[in-house]
Amino acid sequence: MVVIMHEEDVERGPLDGVRVVDLTTSLGAYTGRLLSDLGADVVRVDLDGDRLPRPGVFTEAGKARVTAGRAGLEDLLGTAQILLTSEGPAALRARDLHPEDVVRRHLGLVHVSVSPYGLTGPYADRPASDLTLLAAGGLLALAGDPDREPVRPWGEQSTVIAGAHAAVAALLALLTLEATGRGQVVDLSAQEAVAHSLENAVQCLDLEGVLRNRAGSGPLEAGTGLFRCADGWIYLVGGLGGRPLAWSAITEWLLDNGITEAEALRDERWGERSWRRSPDAATEFRSMFERFAVHRTKDELYEDGQRRGISIAPVATPADLLANPQLTERGFFREVTVDGRDLVFPGPPYRFAGSRVGPRSTPDRSGTDEGITA
């Protein structure tokens, strides 16, 4: 059973009273969605004559949608605290929307400019796509098998990464606006946002002189990685950073369940990092563990492993997540209406005391700028 939170009793969010004008393409649309989740009044404006690609339904939840001419847009900007755009500087200047010009006309406005490569530099107006941004940001160098071509992650990840970074930057600029009354330009490069999201790849080069490359999907160390079970897959962490961590607990787990060959895991060689990171060790451990796991479900393995202090997690399908006891008990999933469609959305990854945050239904407003008031 899925427990869905409805919006009838939604309390004011932390950004209640903040107006955001959203002129983004798909590259920056997630920024407005995140600000709407926090309670901002986000107005998606379709400018007369524009033919920009329309972002997807997921990023448009909670946004009012209007069509406006140039004069109507300027009136809206006069009532807003934040403007969102996501094109290069030449395209923005051609539409009289370059941040330098906008904040000069509206001194109390924060212009968050999400663009592929930032507002300055030799690549500022270079065309870009999710694929090229992931490559330029370094993520593709880490994704895929080492002896094959890079693999692009699913789902336009550069737009998610850039949108999340831009939302945080917008909140910081909003604090300055509230303290000083002065707007500013936030220049967000999607390429730099991707590079900032590579976990410790940059630090490995900077601090250890190690250039990380594609490692593929196989295990780097015996006891850690994906393992088959009766109804799918689980992820087990038997070692990390060369340390055996839960090795003794895993060994006892296998022995308690009739895998007598696991006695060999007590041998001194399994305490050596070089052996555990060898292909032979990974193959030997997998044979033992999957012989045990194949007769058990991922939930059974998860519960039993957790009781033993072992780091283990089920690999969840979408259906698994919708039925997850913890998520349903916490009312994580929300039912919202977007473009006349009732949809179930995941809730926010954070909570605020005294206010509801998360995806909201599209406001019922007029289709022109006359439906938006100060």
Side-chain angles (χ1 to χ4, degrees), residues 25-28 85-92 113-137 158-159 161-162 187-195:
T25 64
S26 60
L27 180 60
T85 59
S86 59
E87 299 168 273
L92 291 173
S113 171
V114 183
S115 60
Y117 300 104
L119 292 171
T120 60
Y123 289 178
D125 289 309
R126 173 176 283 194
S129 66
D130 180 61
L131 180 64
T132 61
L133 287 173
L134 294 178
S158 64
T159 68
I161 294 169
D187 183 4
L188 195 291
S189 161
Q191 178 200 20
E192 290 185 0
V194 170

Side-chain angles (χ1 to χ4, degrees), residues 31-368:
T31 307
R33 159 64 198 279
L34 291 173
L35 298 178
S36 171
D37 284 2
L38 291 170
D41 175 25
V42 181
V43 184
R44 158 70 68 186
V45 179
D46 296 321
L47 284 175
D48 288 337
D50 267 0
R51 294 294 182 267
L52 294 177
R54 183 169 181 170
V57 170
F58 181 79
T59 62
E60 297 308 286
K63 301 179 185 180
R65 193 172 196 101
V66 302
T67 300
R70 178 62 55 179
L73 173 62
E74 291 298 314
D75 289 342
L76 277 176
L77 293 179
T79 71
Q81 287 74 45
I82 298 174
L83 168 65
L84 305 177
T85 59
S86 59
E87 299 168 273
L92 291 173
R93 201 176 296 282
R95 300 166 64 208
D96 199 24
L97 287 172
H98 192 282
E100 292 177 355
D101 300 327
V102 172
V103 297
R104 193 176 296 119
R105 297 196 302 268
H106 301 277
L107 299 179
L109 185 70
V110 173
H111 186 157
V112 180
S113 171
V114 183
S115 60
Y117 300 104
L119 292 171
T120 60
Y123 289 178
D125 289 309
R126 173 176 283 194
S129 66
D130 180 61
L131 180 64
T132 61
L133 287 173
L134 294 178
L139 192 149
L140 286 193
L142 303 174
D145 292 325
D147 57 346
R148 297 195 60 187
E149 62 277 6
V151 175
R152 170 181 172 241
W154 182 89
E156 302 287 327
Q157 291 299 311
S158 64
T159 68
V160 176
I161 294 169
H165 279 73
V168 173
L171 294 176
L172 294 172
L174 186 61
L175 287 175
T176 300
L177 176 64
E178 291 177 345
T180 67
R182 295 193 302 270
Q184 61 178 293
V185 176
V186 175
D187 183 4
L188 195 291
S189 161
Q191 178 200 20
E192 290 185 0
V194 170
H196 185 250
S197 304
L198 300 183
E199 293 188 338
N200 64 344
V202 176
Q203 289 80 5
C204 278
L205 179 60
D206 184 37
L207 300 177
E208 302 180 26
V210 175
L211 181 62
R212 287 186 57 188
N213 294 304
R214 295 190 294 280
S217 59
L220 295 179
E221 185 172 322
T224 296
L226 292 168
F227 295 89
R228 290 185 182 274
C229 60
D231 60 347
W233 299 82
I234 57 94
Y235 192 87
L236 177 69
V237 181
L240 193 64
R243 293 173 295 163
L245 290 181
W247 199 260
S248 296
I250 293 173
T251 301
E252 294 295 334
W253 194 17
L254 294 176
L255 289 171
D256 289 348
N257 284 276
I259 307 300
T260 56
E261 301 96 314
E263 186 66 39
L265 298 178
R266 290 174 170 163
D267 192 88
E268 289 184 1
R269 64 176 179 166
W270 289 98
E272 299 173 2
R273 174 178 176 177
S274 59
W275 165 247
R276 288 198 317 278
R277 292 201 163 191
S278 69
D280 288 344
T283 299
E284 187 175 339
F285 179 88
R286 179 174 296 278
S287 174
M288 293 182 197
F289 190 85
E290 289 191 344
R291 201 172 328 122
F292 152 65
V294 72
H295 302 295
R296 293 161 178 82
T297 68
K298 50 193 172 186
D299 284 343
E300 290 171 341
L301 291 168
Y302 167 70
E303 296 290 348
D304 197 10
Q306 289 283 300
R307 281 191 293 269
R308 293 171 177 267
I310 297 169
S311 295
I312 186 172
V315 178
T317 65
D320 292 335
L321 290 174
L322 286 170
N324 181 276
Q326 180 185 13
L327 296 179
T328 55
E329 176 67 23
R330 292 170 63 87
F332 177 67
F333 295 102
R334 309 285 177 85
E335 186 175 272
V336 299
T337 302
V338 184
D339 292 339
R341 298 166 61 190
D342 294 329
L343 303 170
V344 175
F345 274 40
Y350 44 75
R351 292 194 174 191
F352 284 78
S355 65
R356 276 281 304 279
V357 294
R360 299 163 185 260
S361 293
T362 303
D364 184 15
R365 283 174 171 160
S366 168
T368 69

